[in-house]
Amino acid sequence: MRELKILAVVVFFSLLTYYLVEPYAHHQMHMKVDANGDEIHIESHGFTYDGAADIAEAERKGDEVLVSKKKAFWSKVVQISKIKGDVVVGEASFALCIGCHNGANFNMGGAIPPNLDHVGGIYDKNYLIALIKDPAMAGNVDHKYKNTIEHPMGRIQVMMTEDQQIADVVAYMIAKKAGEVSPKEAFNEACVRCHAMRYVNVTQLGDTPKFKHEKDELAYKIKVIEEQDAVKAYMGKLPQDLSMMIRARSEHFMETFVENPQSQLPGTSMPRVGLNQAGYDKVKAYLTEAGDPSKKAREKLGPWVIAFFVLFTILAFFWKKSMWRDLH
Amino acid sequence: MEKKRRDFMGMALGACAAVGGVGALYAAKRSWDPLPSVKAAGFTTIDLSAAKPNVLNVEKWRGKPIFVLKKTADMPEDKRDIIIGSDRFHISIGLCTHLGCIPAYKAGEHKFLCACHGGEFDASGNDVKAPAPSPLVIPPFKLDGMKIVLGEEGPEYKKMLADGIAVIA
Amino acid sequence: MAKFDENAKPFTNKWLDERIGLNTLKRVLNTEYWIPKDINFLWAMGMILAATFGILLISGIFLLMYYKPDTNLAFDSVNYTIMSEVGYGWLWRHIHGVGASLVFLIIYIHMFTGIYYGSYKRGRELIWLSGMGLFVAFSAEAFSGYMLPWGQMSYWAGMVITNLFSGGSLEAYGLVEWIRGDYVPGDAYLTRFFMLHVLLIPLVIIGLIVLHFGTLRLPHVNNQEGADIDYEESAALYKAGKKKESKVIPFSPVFLSKDIFVMGVYFILFFYLVFYHFNFAMDPVNFDPADGLKTPAHIYPEWYFLWSYEILRPFSKDVGLIAFALSQLAFIFLPFIDRSPNVAPAHKRGLFQIWFWVLLIDMIVLTAMGKLPPTNETFAAIGWYSAVLFLFMGPALFVITIFEKKIEKGA
């Protein structure tokens, strides 16, 4: 009996220390506070986009002009989302997009325009509308520009001016540019133009080919460095390699960050990605493949090892009992 | 009086611990295994179109030197030859079958001479002078037009294995 | 010349006994190494530490096969090669990381058990001192090991801790550079800590463990009442079959059987953490590769160093360094600061019992404050008071034990 009391004391103080040092301290370190010192609760909202977070940020800044701009923008987006889009007309409009998003790996003053093969499947509908209406506002990076038309894709504002046009092309993308997408494809389309992932041999130029001769290998490396310099100039610094990102950040951070980078890193250059829940799940799966590939094996082996030690402990208990039998 | 009883619980515990020990040893063995990237690097493609007759090219496969010799018309035909179109090639692992040194090719004599102990091989890789005990080993290969992929087993290689011309080294 | 029986067959008991004194060894270390009966599971912590050290050694061996001590290669050799390519590499890495953290939990439990029951007193001073030597050695081993993955925390903890050696107002920057082998933690720094972690400190630890056991053998382990046991009398009773009346048990197999049971319970916890709950031991910040041009938002040592770290922090540079040094020394000199002759559990020693719990809680508060951002004024204040309190614990113990009433030991 006394031993159980002692065990309870030991367990209590150990758990107390753990709680203070881990959950409590990490919460204290990472929580965000507003100007009054009150905690700002940052939660994911299921990867749907209505501008609520952007507007709340502007309100906290106390910038009335910005608040009304954002409110107007996002209510316009919602308005457009209610328009019925024509898929056939949209296909013709989509040709405008292919002009830059052409897969030729050509940097257009920012990053290489992402591949749009599954754009209607992995991105949220409202986000796509917002993106075409004003890419900087959609990405919540308008703070970088005096005039959002300076965004590398900013000119779309004057190329696609009619609400119906936008509704049509988004309808086309959702109908025809969706379908089955692998985790690798989702990752390539959503992340690779800015982020490299060296553990799977991916750079901002895509998959690294195999070269027989060192000279060709080095020539390719130079092309990669030049592209990285261009992205660095656009972003302010080179976006991090994502190989180990899934283990370097918590689940909560990843979700809220991808949904709205400003919530976790105020002032960052990274635009909101605009993934929908399905798209994010695919990207997360690929990040796990690259950065935590032993996860499945770990979860498979765990129960067996623990069960083994439970059995071991039970046998040890009975052996102890037999050894101590005639001692008391 | 002490009666020595069979320590059944102790034996059961010991057996359980032994099972755990075997599991741990298995994990240890797997950690020692060659890494997947090492095993994947075991394929080399060589382009034979630029090969010149009687000029030895030495390539690399799985860390070992590979002799690639395009035979001339006056070199005798041999069942060890690899035939591509109208050309005959001698392709082998360039390590003397005696104790593993790399023999040098004497183009004038159409012979490989191993400096370590004096063994010799002809232009088809047959051992012709002691202490070379056996012919130069033919690596697994697959033909692909004018290219040869080492590390993969193509039909020509499989036939050589069946005929005893190629051996697993 | 020793006597050798010609008829003894090779490698039998008699043959080995003649050559290496096998039976004497068995008696002295196992079957007639007497342990008091009046003990609890806390007495198993030593064995658990030995087992954990063994696990760290073995998992370390497999990590060592693939780790590359080069600032360009280290991070990927761990996080790519070992974690995804090596068969069960991820398992060894998780075991090693969790083990390194748990070993300190057990060390602290082991230390505080010793303090509570007075196991550092009369006759057992060397056990305590060699144990403190082990604490310092394990701390050095943990610090050097944490450098090796060369993540952000590795680099910046290395930067901060080596900066301490500038000695505040002494401004010994040359010394700091000498320790690092470079102006900043770099390749030279990594490889020398690799040498320390893989060879030198493990050898020191093994030597200290042998010393720790050696200093334990004659005084024997303590017991729950701190009672003086007549080992010869009790041993005779036990050997005569009067096991109930005897106050002792043999180490093997009786004490060992309890040790192994406690170890089983420990391993269930250990492997649960290895497979399912390991971020406390493998901090996410260290999964960002080291970047000398970018400091993480929060730098902190592993949890077991936090109480020391917090004694350093609240004061000005020089005062902090002195406070830090004093706090480490206080533990080492505990047997000599405690002036009372009583070898008894804390609950029988009046004020000492209060001192004990205040110490424990103060250390937990210091640990928590060491992790919390000092920019928060409340945390900074709590940290300051806790650090000052800790510095008074040494003198307080001195005073308390001088006035402690001598306990009359009954029969």
Side-chain angles (χ1 to χ4, degrees):
Chain A
M1 248 315 105
R2 186 204 255 175
E3 278 196 284
L4 282 176
K5 273 196 237 156
I6 298 174
L7 179 64
V9 170
V10 170
V11 167
F12 170 74
F13 281 111
S14 304
L15 287 177
L16 174 67
T17 309
Y18 169 78
Y19 167 73
L20 289 171
V21 167
E22 284 293 308
Y24 181 71
H26 282 279
H27 176 75
Q28 289 294 319
M29 282 192 278
H30 298 132
M31 72 180 184
K32 307 272 184 282
V33 288
D34 63 18
N36 298 331
D38 297 320
E39 187 179 348
I40 305 171
H41 291 274
I42 301 181
E43 297 301 334
S44 155
H45 40 84
F47 293 95
T48 56
Y49 304 91
D50 56 5
D54 307 35
I55 294 165
E57 275 163 25
E59 280 169 347
R60 276 196 292 270
K61 279 202 204 108
D63 187 339
E64 288 307 321
V65 173
L66 187 60
V67 170
S68 46
K69 235 183 13 181
K70 296 240 170 196
K71 278 190 174 148
F73 176 77
W74 284 99
S75 63
K76 196 76 169 73
V77 168
V78 171
Q79 208 185 350
I80 297 175
S81 74
K82 299 200 171 87
I83 302 174
K84 189 162 176 358
D86 185 324
V87 171
V88 176
V89 176
E91 182 168 4
S93 299
F94 190 73
L96 261 174
C97 313
I98 296 293
C100 293
H101 292 266
N102 52 24
N105 265 14
F106 190 67
N107 187 307
M108 301 220 140
I112 296 169
N115 182 310
L116 297 181
D117 283 351
H118 300 91
V119 63
I122 62 176
Y123 298 107
D124 174 75
K125 175 179 170 185
N126 280 11
Y127 174 78
L128 288 173
I129 293 170
L131 187 67
I132 299 172
K133 193 89 189 105
D134 185 338
M137 288 287 274
N140 203 4
V141 286
D142 47 292
H143 60 271
K144 276 168 61 171
Y145 305 100
K146 277 212 193 63
N147 186 333
T148 58
I149 204 155
E150 295 164 19
H151 184 282
M153 189 173 143
R155 296 205 55 78
I156 193 80
Q157 293 172 62
V158 299
M159 284 158 70
M160 224 172 246
T161 50
E162 302 306 311
D163 293 353
Q164 184 64 52
Q165 254 186 318
I166 298 176
D168 291 337
V169 85
V170 170
Y172 167 72
M173 292 196 284
I174 291 175
K176 299 291 184 170
K177 286 290 186 188
E180 274 300 309
V181 55
S182 68
K184 184 173 161 75
E185 284 167 334
F187 178 77
N188 275 342
E189 291 176 32
C191 318
V192 165
R193 295 311 154 185
C194 294
H195 289 279
M197 202 188 229
R198 66 184 184 285
Y199 285 4
V200 293
N201 289 320
V202 161
T203 68
Q204 285 79 356
L205 292 178
D207 288 311
T208 302
K210 277 203 177 35
F211 297 103
K212 178 152 185 219
H213 299 290
E214 199 182 339
K215 211 163 100 172
D216 298 327
E217 207 182 308
L218 290 172
Y220 187 80
K221 269 210 179 107
I222 290 178
K223 288 227 291 271
V224 169
I225 291 174
E226 284 169 351
E227 176 59 26
Q228 288 180 337
D229 283 344
V231 174
K232 192 160 151 193
Y234 167 47
M235 284 292 177
K237 62 180 206 164
L238 185 66
Q240 246 174 304
D241 186 293
L242 294 181
S243 299
M244 290 305 292
M245 195 52 70
I246 197 73
R247 287 197 70 158
R249 303 286 183 277
S250 67
E251 265 221 56
H252 178 255
F253 180 95
M254 288 299 292
E255 269 180 4
T256 51
F257 183 75
V258 170
E259 228 183 52
N260 182 12
Q262 300 299 323
S263 66
Q264 294 287 1
L265 290 181
T268 184
S269 298
M270 171 160 160
R272 165 185 285 130
V273 184
L275 289 166
N276 57 25
Q277 184 72 59
Y280 176 73
D281 289 340
K282 288 267 152 70
V283 168
K284 189 166 113 174
Y286 194 66
L287 287 171
T288 307
E289 250 179 73
D292 193 11
S294 60
K295 188 163 176 197
K296 280 209 185 70
R298 203 166 63 223
E299 288 167 358
K300 191 155 164 273
L301 185 60
W304 289 100
V305 173
I306 293 172
F308 169 80
F309 279 106
V310 170
L311 173 65
F312 179 90
T313 306
I314 292 173
L315 291 174
F317 178 73
F318 286 115
W319 186 52
K320 183 255 176 193
K321 269 245 154 352
S322 78
M323 288 292 114
W324 285 65
R325 190 181 356 217
D326 40 2
L327 292 176
H328 295 297
Chain B
M1 198 200 60
E2 273 260 8
K3 191 172 85 143
K4 272 282 185 164
R5 281 195 296 272
R6 272 282 171 85
D7 186 8
F8 285 116
M9 280 322 299
M11 289 198 282
L13 181 62
C16 178
V19 168
V22 168
L25 282 172
Y26 171 71
K29 175 264 175 199
R30 288 273 293 111
S31 301
W32 202 282
D33 284 345
L35 299 183
S37 57
V38 166
K39 293 202 277 208
F43 302 97
T44 307
T45 305
I46 303 172
D47 188 352
L48 299 170
S49 47
K52 293 201 196 40
N54 203 26
V55 173
L56 181 70
N57 285 323
V58 182
E59 304 276 351
K60 206 159 89 160
W61 173 72
R62 293 192 182 168
K64 295 187 254 231
I66 301 293
F67 288 159
V68 177
L69 180 67
K70 186 167 176 182
K71 293 176 91 169
T72 58
D74 57 317
M75 286 180 189
E77 287 183 6
D78 194 298
K79 53 184 175 2
R80 313 183 89 246
D81 294 343
I82 294 174
I83 303 165
I84 300 179
S86 53
D87 297 321
R88 293 182 153 262
F89 285 88
H90 166 68
I91 296 177
S92 59
I93 297 178
L95 297 173
C96 181
T97 47
H98 179 227
L99 287 174
C101 296
I102 303 176
Y105 183 60
K106 304 282 173 214
E109 298 161 55
H110 294 179
K111 256 202 313 213
F112 294 94
L113 165 62
C114 187
C116 287
H117 306 100
E120 284 177 18
F121 304 86
D122 66 16
S124 309
N126 293 304
D127 49 305
V128 295
K129 181 149 175 262
S134 52
L136 293 172
V137 175
I138 299 176
F141 67 91
K142 189 168 104 143
L143 295 173
D144 178 15
M146 280 309 290
K147 293 206 189 51
I148 184 170
V149 179
L150 299 179
E152 285 200 44
E153 292 189 9
E156 295 86 356
Y157 177 74
K158 287 205 171 94
K159 185 163 185 309
M160 282 185 168
L161 269 181
D163 294 341
I165 298 168
V167 290
I168 312 281
Chain C
M1 180 71 177
K3 281 218 37 149
F4 295 103
D5 183 351
E6 285 161 6
N7 298 324
K9 291 219 181 56
F11 297 102
T12 55
N13 213 312
K14 184 150 196 321
W15 189 87
L16 285 167
D17 190 44
E18 284 172 353
R19 285 152 180 74
I20 58 174
L22 184 68
N23 287 332
T24 312
L25 276 174
K26 273 203 255 185
R27 273 186 297 110
V28 169
L29 295 178
N30 279 328
T31 55
E32 287 182 30
Y33 170 31
W34 303 107
I35 308 282
K37 225 192 260 175
D38 183 26
I39 53 172
N40 59 53
F41 75 93
L42 291 173
W43 263 253
M45 294 301 121
M47 270 302 237
I48 290 187
L49 283 172
T52 307
F53 179 63
I55 288 175
L56 285 167
L57 207 63
I58 292 174
S59 56
I61 281 172
F62 291 102
L63 296 174
L64 186 55
M65 276 172 62
Y66 294 98
Y67 173 74
K68 299 244 165 34
D70 176 311
T71 51
N72 294 317
L73 303 173
F75 185 88
D76 289 346
S77 73
V78 174
N79 288 304
Y80 181 69
T81 308
I82 290 173
M83 290 297 284
S84 65
E85 281 220 292
V86 175
Y88 293 102
W90 55 271
L91 182 61
W92 304 122
R93 202 250 171 121
H94 276 228
I95 287 177
H96 204 76
V98 168
S101 205
L102 276 187
V103 82
F104 278 94
L105 173 66
I106 309 297
I107 283 178
Y108 283 125
I109 294 176
H110 188 60
M111 257 172 79
F112 273 82
T113 304
I115 297 176
Y116 190 89
Y117 290 101
S119 307
Y120 53 88
K121 297 167 75 96
R122 195 189 62 225
R124 299 194 173 94
E125 301 88 341
L126 288 178
I127 307 175
W128 179 264
L129 286 174
S130 58
M132 285 309 296
L134 279 166
F135 178 68
V136 171
F138 268 96
S139 299
E141 181 75 347
F143 178 75
S144 55
Y146 204 72
M147 297 298 107
L148 303 186
W150 210 240
Q152 273 288 65
M153 206 60 103
S154 308
Y155 182 90
W156 289 98
M159 176 72 94
V160 168
I161 298 303
T162 46
N163 267 336
L164 287 179
F165 287 89
S166 64
S169 299
L170 293 175
E171 298 198 342
Y173 299 121
L175 177 63
V176 174
E177 282 168 16
W178 183 83
I179 291 173
R180 291 174 182 164
D182 198 340
Y183 305 105
V184 289
D187 215 56
Y189 174 87
L190 180 62
T191 50
R192 59 193 49 187
F193 275 96
F194 178 69
M195 175 281 289
L196 286 173
H197 186 76
V198 159
L199 184 67
L200 194 54
I201 301 176
L203 287 179
V204 168
I205 288 177
I206 291 171
L208 282 171
I209 291 178
V210 171
L211 184 64
H212 197 58
F213 285 165
T215 55
L216 175 60
R217 184 62 185 81
L218 284 178
H220 291 84
V221 306
N222 201 355
N223 55 79
Q224 283 189 116
E225 298 305 316
D228 269 331
I229 295 181
D230 184 343
Y231 282 93
E232 283 187 4
E233 184 197 342
S234 275
L237 275 175
Y238 188 92
K239 285 202 271 199
K242 294 207 170 72
K243 294 187 184 167
K244 281 203 204 14
E245 291 85 347
S246 172
K247 291 202 180 124
V248 300
I249 49 172
F251 175 78
S252 168
V254 183
F255 182 59
L256 201 57
S257 68
K258 182 157 179 168
D259 261 353
I260 290 179
F261 165 64
V262 178
M263 265 206 272
V265 176
Y266 169 72
F267 283 136
I268 295 173
L269 171 70
F270 186 95
F271 281 100
Y272 164 72
L273 295 172
V274 163
F275 285 95
Y276 295 108
H277 202 96
F278 37 77
N279 277 353
F280 73 96
M282 287 185 278
D283 195 297
V285 176
N286 224 27
F287 283 100
D288 279 333
D291 184 345
L293 297 175
K294 175 173 153 195
T295 304
H298 303 278
I299 305 178
Y300 42 82
E302 285 293 279
W303 71 270
Y304 36 86
F305 291 145
L306 287 170
W307 70 270
S308 293
Y309 190 58
E310 184 57 14
I311 290 180
L312 193 54
R313 281 210 299 196
F315 308 111
S316 68
K317 220 173 182 187
D318 291 335
V319 177
L321 281 171
I322 295 172
F324 177 78
L326 282 178
S327 62
Q328 310 303 310
L329 288 172
F331 265 120
I332 293 173
F333 290 113
L334 187 65
F336 309 104
I337 299 177
D338 183 332
R339 306 308 293 172
S340 150
N342 293 328
V343 181
H347 57 261
K348 290 205 166 136
R349 292 179 61 189
L351 283 177
F352 180 84
Q353 184 182 24
I354 299 177
W355 180 89
F356 175 86
W357 293 109
V358 169
L359 175 69
L360 177 63
I361 291 171
D362 190 28
M363 281 186 78
I364 291 179
V365 173
L366 281 170
T367 301
M369 295 303 128
K371 186 85 173 262
L372 292 165
T375 44
N376 178 314
E377 279 174 22
T378 321
F379 295 146
I382 297 176
W384 191 89
Y385 283 108
S386 310
V388 169
L389 174 61
F390 188 87
L391 291 168
F392 275 109
M393 294 302 275
L397 180 66
F398 185 79
V399 171
I400 289 175
T401 51
I402 281 188
F403 292 108
E404 191 171 307
K405 250 203 308 239
K406 185 160 166 46
I407 297 174
E408 294 309 322
K409 292 287 174 86

